[in-house]
């Protein structure tokens, strides 16, 4: 599959900002890049709007996804409210017939369970540009309320960020019948076998010169 990962806001548009000046744009970038890496490790193709703190218009995002013929569009955001006690995860889709409706439900449920925040469920909107202008099935995740001081404080934790990213990644992969794999097994690649040790040394040195610093000679 080819996923389009859209990390909300960026650059001159920080998105929602917490009471301690935590920017939505920076948080979703951290989470999104971890999701990207995990999907790619599972051999999924990934296109992103941005991989640094730059601004891109809403039209740019949907147009880029459409031009790249992506299969699914996933937009990642943090929510905000004037009510500082507001808390919870919700996921937006264009309508109830969306092919990602069940995925949206699973994302909202899994994220809320993982980070112990209320599940606000699936929301419907035909107003969001990235849901309206994309030609592929799309959804928009509002992870939690950055305006809530407790949530904002949690976002300082690398483990909290990773928990969110891993939950999103595993839910997306499950949707396409894959899973996160990390078996902690190291695999070795043999690139030659020689009777003459000098030939083995030459190949070892060549491999090292190409950047394979862990190259070594073994006998059997």
């Amino acid at each position: 599959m080819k996923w389009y990962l859209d990390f909300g806001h960026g650059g001159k548009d920080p998105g929602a900002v917490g009471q301690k000046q935590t920017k939505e744009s920076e948080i979703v970038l951290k989470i999104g890049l971890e999701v990207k890496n995990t999907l790619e490790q599972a051999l999924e193709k990934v296109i992103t709007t941005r991989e640094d703190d730059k601004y891109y218009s809403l039209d740019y995002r949907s147009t880029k996804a459409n031009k790249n013929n992506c299969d699914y569009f996933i937009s990642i955001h943090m929510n905000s409210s004037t009510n500082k006690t507001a808390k919870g995860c919700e996921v937006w889709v264009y309508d109830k017939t969306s092919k990602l409706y069940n995925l949206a439900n699973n994302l909202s449920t899994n994220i809320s369970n993982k980070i112990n925040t209320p599940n606000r469920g699936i929301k419907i909107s035909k107003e969001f540009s990235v849901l309206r202008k994309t030609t592929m099935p799309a959804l928009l995740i509002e992870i939690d309320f950055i305006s809530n001081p407790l949530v904002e404080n949690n976002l300082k934790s690398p483990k909290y960020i990773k928990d969110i990213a891993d939950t999103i990644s595993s839910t997306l992969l499950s949707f396409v019948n894959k899973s996160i794999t990390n078996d902690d097994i190291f695999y070795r690649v043999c690139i030659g076998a020689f009777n003459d040790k000098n030939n083995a040394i030459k190949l070892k040195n060549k491999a090292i010169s190409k950047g394979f610093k862990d190259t070594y000679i073994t006998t059997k």
Side-chain angles (χ1 to χ4, degrees), residues 60-186:
Y60 172 90
R61 297 163 193 259
S62 55
T63 298
K64 184 176 180 181
N66 294 339
K67 285 183 177 179
N68 279 278
N69 295 313
C70 295
D71 295 296
Y72 303 113
F73 185 104
I74 310 295
S75 190
I76 303 175
H77 291 258
M78 295 297 299
N79 216 335
S80 184
S81 172
T82 54
N83 176 5
K84 303 306 178 185
T85 65
K87 202 169 184 281
C89 177
E90 62 192 41
V91 181
W92 292 79
V93 294
Y94 185 74
D95 57 31
K96 290 185 177 180
T97 66
S98 171
K99 292 181 179 179
L100 298 186
Y101 191 88
N102 288 336
L103 175 59
N105 182 62
N106 291 338
L107 282 165
S108 188
T109 299
N110 293 345
I111 293 171
S112 66
N113 288 339
K114 186 63 179 181
I115 63 175
N116 191 28
T117 195
N119 182 1
R120 295 166 62 92
I122 303 174
K123 309 291 184 182
I124 306 294
S125 176
K126 291 181 170 58
E127 300 302 317
F128 284 121
S129 175
V130 294
L131 300 183
R132 180 166 45 88
K133 294 185 177 182
T134 47
T135 57
M136 71 290 302
L139 60 77
L140 186 150
I141 307 169
E142 294 279 11
I143 294 167
D144 209 337
F145 284 76
I146 200 171
S147 51
N148 184 306
L150 294 176
V151 173
E152 183 181 12
N153 187 61
N154 287 337
L155 291 169
K156 296 177 182 178
S157 164
K159 181 181 184 304
Y160 188 79
I161 294 294
K162 189 175 189 308
D163 283 346
I164 295 170
D166 284 351
T167 302
I168 293 174
S169 300
S170 62
T171 306
L172 296 182
L173 289 172
S174 178
F175 181 71
V176 293
N177 299 312
K178 287 188 176 183
S179 60
I180 296 176
T181 57
N182 182 14
D183 52 18
D184 292 325
I185 297 173
F186 291 93

